[in-house]
Amino acid sequence: MGENKDRMLAGDWYVPDDPELRADTERRIELCAAFNAAAGHTPGTYDPARRDALLQELLGSVGADVRIRPPFHCDYGYLIGIGSGTFINFGAVLLDAAPITIGAHVQIGPNVQLLTPTHELDAERRRAGWEKALPVTIGDNVWLGGGVIVCPGVTIGDNTVVGAGSVVTKNLPAGVLAVGNPARVLRKLDEPG
């Protein structure tokens, strides 16, 4: 394995110009294009079995009855795990330079972004391309409204709801409603609204 890919997988600073990372990117480009093309935009071309097979090949793990509406975009794919019964709506962007773990029965609205990469604050190192990635974890039964952005290193607890357009910069506990930029907890979900 190349040095930068090793560093990326270890969660260290790396420059994403590794030949193996380029090959992984090319693999992802082909698989995402094939998955998105199998959407059936032309009558009679929808092929759910092919789409499921492509997801199994692209992603690290995919539970039963996972549905992803294209277009779907990711960095590598193999660092993404999705639990059973999860639904991901149109336009999802999952940048998986670190693991992205999505629990079971999660509802993800359109144009949601789960982002693991972070870049150097130092301008010279940033120009040189240095970055690292921090895992994103989404618990079971979470609902992310349309346009939600989840930042690097964030964990969202089970049964939490994040309102549309929110930017989640810090961990959210289980069973809460959170909204805003940055997202903040409004209330526990077992409390009256």
Side-chain angles (χ1 to χ4, degrees):
M1 201 177 322
E3 177 185 351
N4 280 306
K5 184 173 180 178
D6 280 343
R7 294 173 65 85
M8 179 190 86
L9 294 174
D12 294 331
W13 290 101
Y14 71 99
V15 178
D17 70 352
D18 191 297
E20 279 189 86
L21 291 175
R22 278 194 296 277
D24 290 348
T25 297
E26 290 172 11
R27 169 192 167 275
R28 180 265 306 159
I29 289 169
E30 291 175 10
L31 289 170
C32 275
F35 173 79
N36 291 329
H41 294 295
T42 304
T45 62
Y46 177 65
D47 187 348
R50 173 148 170 74
R51 287 186 55 208
D52 288 348
L54 287 164
L55 275 183
Q56 293 290 337
E57 187 176 351
L58 174 63
L59 304 180
S61 65
V62 182
D65 301 318
V66 167
R67 294 173 296 140
I68 299 177
R69 287 186 170 167
F72 171 78
H73 304 283
C74 61
D75 258 347
Y76 302 108
Y78 55 77
L79 293 174
I80 298 170
I82 302 175
S84 64
T86 288
F87 172 74
I88 300 175
N89 214 327
F90 302 107
V93 175
L94 280 59
L95 300 186
D96 62 313
I100 294 176
T101 305
I102 300 171
H105 306 287
V106 173
Q107 299 290 311
I108 296 181
N111 299 311
V112 166
Q113 299 176 45
L114 306 181
L115 312 174
T116 68
T118 185
H119 300 278
E120 269 285 358
L121 295 178
D122 177 77
E124 283 186 43
R125 284 181 51 88
R126 192 170 56 250
R127 272 194 307 275
W130 287 97
E131 65 181 58
K132 72 176 179 176
L134 304 169
V136 167
T137 303
I138 309 298
D140 294 339
N141 305 306
V142 168
W143 175 20
L144 302 178
V148 166
I149 298 172
V150 179
C151 292
V154 166
T155 295
I156 298 175
D158 294 347
N159 305 310
T160 285
V161 175
V162 180
S166 297
V167 178
V168 186
T169 61
K170 295 184 181 192
N171 294 347
L172 294 175
V176 299
L177 171 63
V179 299
N181 181 3
R184 64 190 179 290
V185 174
L186 289 185
R187 65 180 175 90
K188 291 185 178 182
L189 288 174
D190 59 2
E191 295 174 350

